[in-house]
Amino acid sequence: MTDATTFLDGLAEQKPDPLLELIAKFADDPRSGKVDLGVGVYRDETGRTPVMRAVKSAEHHLWETQDSKSYIGPEGDPVFLRALAMEVFGEGHGGKQVAGVQTPGGTGALRLAAELLAQQRKRKIWIGTPTWVNHHAIFSSVGLQIGNYRFFDIGKQAVLIDEMLGTLQQAAPGDAVLFQASCHNPTGAALSQQNWRDIADIVARNGLLPLFDSAYQGLGRGLQQDMAGMMTVLEAADEAMVAVSCSKSFSLYRERTGAAYLIGGSRTSLNKGVGNLASYARTSYSMPPAHGAAIVATILQNPSLRKAWSDELDSMRIRTTEIRRAVAAAFGKFRPYLAHIGNQEGMFSLLPISPDNVRRLRADHAIYMPDSGRINVAGLRIEEVGAVVEQIGPYVI
Ligand SMILES: Cc1ncc(COP(=O)(O)O)c(C=O)c1O
């Protein structure tokens, strides 16, 4: 007789997500004036992650007009996919042929891209380090071989562009390379247009397959500006993939809204690619959740809602940039190289701080961040920047 619990007991123990643990610790901390720099979401000056006004209006419109909740199919809503593609790739898609499927968030899009790559295991995927914690997990979970290129020097707060280009020179033709389009998580590091041109040259020369993770469009320099580097590379590449997340740009986190786009040479090859993406969708979650995509499609198709959305996104970016500059100026007094934080973009920066000191900072001053030292500058109010940085300063290397 087998024990009924044997199956579950035989499973590997999974570590709890450290960021979720941090959120729980923060919530349990009774100290007033505690500061949460660990969150991965945008916060306004009152510490909230609000529903955007255009999103509320679109939801209202949908509530009044939506007359069915019937299935939409594994590819998702073509109207959403077309409208979002215009936003991401611009009018005319940079002269490229584009096709895609709607996905449950950016993570869903990355997972589908990983599944597609894993069909041809001779391909390796190159991932920059450090990167978003989930990247390695997603690509290794489909059994892909992973190569790393060093991307960022924390101690200098600088992109290791020469090292990165050197590693990519060694990549085999057909290998995939993961890039973050803007607002790099966790470093905030921004590549220059010249950097992107150099990357585009290697991609074209070596026949590499770029995979862009675009999760923060509009939160770095602006809606179009954030895509400029990616477009430079896409124009040079024969084929590419782009995983788009609407979680941050539309503040739709829990609605799980995103898309996986393919860029290819012909309609026939794109249709084949989309067919494969849809088939993976069918066997995992069948079809993507509809509500968030319906909101995005409603906003992007209506000029006044689109303007309200992009204005609010602008104000989120401006607030984040102001705090970033104040943080950089304050840190610069402790360590001059930390003034480079001011040249970075998006919500995140990576502090050179040991995990022990992260814990001390939490115990001594109720300032919360993950062991990696990633901070979300949008977690601060402008008036508290000076005092908080003064407390963190002595703990950084
Ligand atoms: C770089 C990066 N890619 C993708 C995602 C995934 O976003 P989503 O919540 O849409 O799955 C995130 C979320 O934090 C991210 O930071």
Side-chain angles (χ1 to χ4, degrees):
M1 266 292 274
T2 50
D3 184 330
T5 61
T6 305
F7 164 62
L8 296 179
D9 285 344
L11 299 175
E13 197 75 55
Q14 299 289 335
K15 286 200 195 107
D17 184 323
L19 277 179
L20 296 182
E21 278 192 315
L22 198 68
I23 290 170
K25 277 197 187 119
F26 181 79
D28 288 346
D29 191 330
R31 289 173 286 181
S32 65
K34 58 187 177 178
V35 176
D36 183 7
L37 300 177
V39 283
V41 299
Y42 175 79
R43 292 257 167 97
D44 68 12
E45 54 289 346
T46 65
R48 287 168 51 254
T49 303
V51 180
M52 293 176 91
R53 286 186 292 279
V55 166
K56 274 278 181 215
S57 302
E59 284 185 308
H60 191 234
H61 172 78
L62 286 170
W63 184 78
E64 281 181 327
T65 57
Q66 202 174 48
D67 56 7
S68 177
K69 300 277 187 196
S70 178
Y71 290 128
I72 52 168
E75 294 92 349
D77 174 10
V79 176
F80 160 78
L81 289 164
R82 269 197 302 275
L84 185 65
M86 281 278 283
E87 219 48 70
V88 173
F89 304 106
E91 188 114 26
H93 302 160
K96 289 286 177 177
Q97 306 237 47
V98 174
V101 302
Q102 180 187 323
T103 57
T107 307
L110 288 166
R111 178 63 191 234
L112 288 195
E115 296 280 6
L116 216 56
L117 287 171
Q119 273 206 4
Q120 297 171 350
R121 277 176 203 250
K122 62 182 192 312
R123 290 176 194 275
K124 199 170 179 174
I125 183 157
W126 294 86
I127 301 181
T129 58
T131 194
W132 178 45
V133 282
N134 216 4
H135 279 149
H136 280 87
I138 291 171
F139 292 97
S140 57
S141 69
V142 296
L144 269 174
Q145 259 195 83
I146 296 177
N148 290 310
Y149 62 86
R150 288 221 306 148
F151 173 73
F152 188 72
D153 184 329
I154 301 174
K156 296 199 175 93
Q157 290 289 307
V159 175
L160 293 164
I161 186 67
D162 292 335
E163 212 177 309
M164 173 178 172
L165 294 174
T167 309
L168 296 185
Q169 294 274 21
Q170 314 297 322
D175 277 359
V177 190
L178 179 68
F179 300 106
Q180 294 191 36
S182 68
C183 307
H184 190 270
N185 181 4
T187 68
L191 294 174
S192 69
Q193 234 355 77
Q194 184 56 50
N195 293 157
W196 286 116
R197 278 195 290 274
D198 293 341
I199 291 169
D201 282 348
I202 295 181
V203 163
R205 212 173 327 121
N206 290 11
L208 304 178
L209 179 68
L211 165 54
F212 276 90
D213 179 357
S214 178
Y216 298 91
Q217 186 181 0
L219 285 165
R221 304 178 207 185
L223 274 168
Q224 279 183 355
Q225 295 90 324
D226 285 354
M227 297 293 100
M230 178 182 90
M231 291 311 291
T232 303
V233 178
L234 294 189
E235 276 156 32
D238 292 334
E239 293 182 312
M241 299 193 275
V242 181
V244 181
S245 164
C246 297
S247 301
K248 275 83 181 182
S249 308
F250 289 84
S251 212
L252 278 173
Y253 307 90
R254 68 175 71 155
E255 297 294 354
R256 311 310 302 136
T257 311
Y261 288 105
L262 305 174
I263 287 93
S266 73
R267 271 290 136 199
T268 320
S269 55
L270 283 177
N271 288 344
K272 201 186 243 184
V274 165
N276 275 271
L277 291 176
S279 132
Y280 291 123
R282 192 79 183 114
T283 55
S284 50
Y285 53 85
S286 186
M287 51 196 71
H291 187 64
I295 292 168
V296 170
T298 306
I299 292 173
L300 295 181
Q301 282 177 291
N302 176 318
S304 74
L305 279 185
R306 191 198 168 279
K307 180 162 183 344
W309 162 69
S310 74
D311 286 351
E312 194 168 349
L313 188 60
D314 278 349
S315 68
M316 289 157 70
R317 185 185 64 251
I318 290 164
R319 179 184 123 72
T320 310
T321 308
E322 271 172 17
I323 297 173
R324 171 174 289 291
R325 299 230 164 99
V327 166
F331 268 124
K333 289 187 200 138
F334 286 95
R335 305 274 185 276
Y337 69 90
L338 285 181
H340 291 304
I341 288 175
N343 307 322
Q344 295 163 2
E345 59 180 30
M347 300 192 286
F348 303 120
S349 280
L350 197 58
L351 296 179
I353 180 169
S354 68
D356 278 348
N357 275 0
V358 166
R359 275 173 230 131
R360 279 191 202 111
L361 196 54
R362 196 156 68 217
D364 298 347
H365 299 291
I367 295 175
Y368 283 71
M369 65 182 74
D371 282 359
S372 65
R374 187 191 77 170
I375 57 166
N376 178 351
V377 297
L380 286 166
R381 282 176 292 114
I382 195 89
E383 59 274 17
E384 67 186 352
V385 166
V388 171
V389 170
E390 195 124 319
Q391 288 177 323
I392 302 175
Y395 294 82
V396 296
I397 295 159

